[in-house]
Amino acid sequence: RAEIPTGIADFPGDTIYTTPPRSLVERAYNVTHWTKFDRGGHFAALEEPQLFLTDIRNFASTIK
């Protein structure tokens, strides 16, 4: 199990990568931040840059 704090950004329009259930991810990773978005896709940083940036900042602020 990876104990490094892990953040997940789940964008619904990503047809290439489907996010597994949180319970499964938490078995292998120390999930400290999980965001399920209502828009955006595989290229979320280009499609929804403000949402993406805000989420990264929120996650980074939790790391000590």
Side-chain angles (χ1 to χ4, degrees):
R1 176 175 150 90
E3 292 301 327
I4 296 170
T6 303
I8 303 292
D10 185 4
F11 289 92
D14 191 345
T15 58
I16 296 172
Y17 174 77
T18 303
T19 306
R22 185 172 181 159
S23 60
L24 183 61
V25 175
E26 288 179 334
R27 289 185 205 169
Y29 299 94
N30 176 21
V31 178
T32 60
H33 183 84
W34 188 291
T35 307
K36 187 166 183 69
F37 292 95
D38 59 356
R39 62 186 189 274
H42 186 72
F43 297 103
L46 296 173
E47 298 166 12
E48 300 293 340
Q50 195 57 50
L51 284 177
F52 187 77
L53 180 59
T54 299
D55 193 52
I56 289 174
R57 286 179 174 160
N58 289 340
F59 170 60
S61 72
T62 67
I63 300 173
K64 297 175 182 160

